[in-house]
Amino acid sequence: MTIRLLIVDDDPLVRAGLTLMLGGAEDIEIVGEGTDGRDVPALVDRLVPDVVLMDIRMPHVDGLTATERLRARPGGPEVVVLTTFHADEQVLRALRAGAAGFVLKDTPPAEILAAVRRVAAGDPVLSPAVTRQLMSHVAAQRPAGDPERNRRAAAAARLAELAEREREVALAVGRGASNAEIAAALYMSLPTVKTHVSRILAKLGLDNRVQIALLVHDAGLSEQEDGI
């Protein structure tokens, strides 16, 4: 399968570098470039990419707003945000909006290529270590008190909608486990794990497994039943 990729970044040197790095792969087709988030809807309609590699900071419409608008549309492409920070509240906003993950601009070319391929295949870009780092960042930024308790109660209530096996899979996703790791730990086949993840997303109205991880963390369950 050829992956149709749209690159959106206001820096021409970054766009040129990404095009040079990614365009040589046999399974990647750079279908176009954008310079601002305001260009994204028209570009997506015209070029029909599978994945959008989206910068966060752009002059008119930032990548966060563009991601929110794009993921609100049915059948839209997956989005990977580009950032210069490991743990940035803006990255978290993008993930909650439905971005499939993020990569750093100084990430080695081979890893950026692998990230695009993984997202196109339906897997998250975030590694378990990065997922845990983001979870810690969220926790550190939240004030104590009633708002935190309310958030936790609301997240726990949503997870209570899941069947027992689905909940086990959700908790494993929340700890950053891959599908293969979940399958081994819970004695499931890989297709069964993927089916459970799809059902969890549908039941909870989420876009991707990163959002499952955020919800598990909101419920205060990311450190429970840690056997994976």
Side-chain angles (χ1 to χ4, degrees):
M1 182 186 74
T2 299
I3 301 168
R4 298 174 59 83
L5 179 66
L6 171 65
I7 298 172
V8 183
D9 195 298
D10 64 325
D11 188 333
L13 292 178
V14 172
R15 295 198 309 274
L18 290 170
T19 299
L20 181 64
M21 287 189 299
L22 303 175
E26 293 183 356
D27 58 339
I28 302 289
E29 178 186 359
I30 309 294
V31 296
E33 299 179 7
T35 60
D36 193 84
R38 65 183 179 183
D39 305 327
V40 170
L43 287 170
V44 168
D45 287 342
R46 179 165 58 87
L47 302 172
V48 196
D50 300 305
V51 179
V52 178
L53 203 53
M54 182 98 70
D55 186 24
I56 287 182
R57 293 173 176 84
M58 291 183 284
H60 298 289
V61 176
D62 61 70
L64 303 176
T65 301
T67 297
E68 290 170 342
R69 293 174 178 173
L70 187 58
R71 294 303 299 165
R73 301 168 60 179
E78 297 291 350
V79 177
V80 178
V81 294
L82 289 165
T83 180
T84 56
F85 298 97
H86 283 276
D88 189 329
E89 288 183 359
Q90 292 182 320
V91 174
L92 291 166
R93 177 183 158 196
L95 297 179
R96 292 188 185 279
F102 75 93
V103 294
L104 301 176
K105 287 191 175 182
D106 59 356
T107 297
E111 293 183 20
I112 296 179
L113 179 59
V116 170
R117 287 170 172 157
R118 285 178 58 188
V119 168
D123 291 327
V125 169
L126 300 182
S127 68
V130 173
T131 298
R132 285 190 289 269
Q133 183 177 358
L134 285 171
M135 298 303 105
S136 298
H137 182 69
V138 175
Q141 296 299 316
R142 287 180 186 153
D146 289 340
E148 172 64 17
R149 288 196 294 270
N150 291 342
R151 178 191 288 270
R152 177 168 293 198
R158 293 184 68 189
L159 290 173
E161 300 173 16
L162 302 177
E164 181 178 356
R165 207 59 167 160
E166 292 168 347
R167 183 178 181 278
E168 291 176 348
V169 171
L171 293 181
V173 170
R175 292 190 295 273
S178 67
N179 284 347
E181 291 169 335
I182 296 171
L186 299 181
Y187 304 103
M188 297 179 179
S189 68
L190 197 56
T192 299
V193 173
K194 292 180 179 179
T195 297
H196 280 307
V197 171
S198 296
R199 288 175 178 170
I200 292 166
L201 293 173
K203 281 188 176 182
L204 301 181
L206 302 176
D207 290 306
N208 56 54
R209 59 192 295 136
V210 176
Q211 292 183 334
I212 297 175
L214 290 170
L215 186 64
V216 169
H217 187 273
D218 285 345
L221 301 175
S222 57
E223 300 303 321
Q224 293 186 15
E225 303 175 31
D226 194 359
I228 299 176

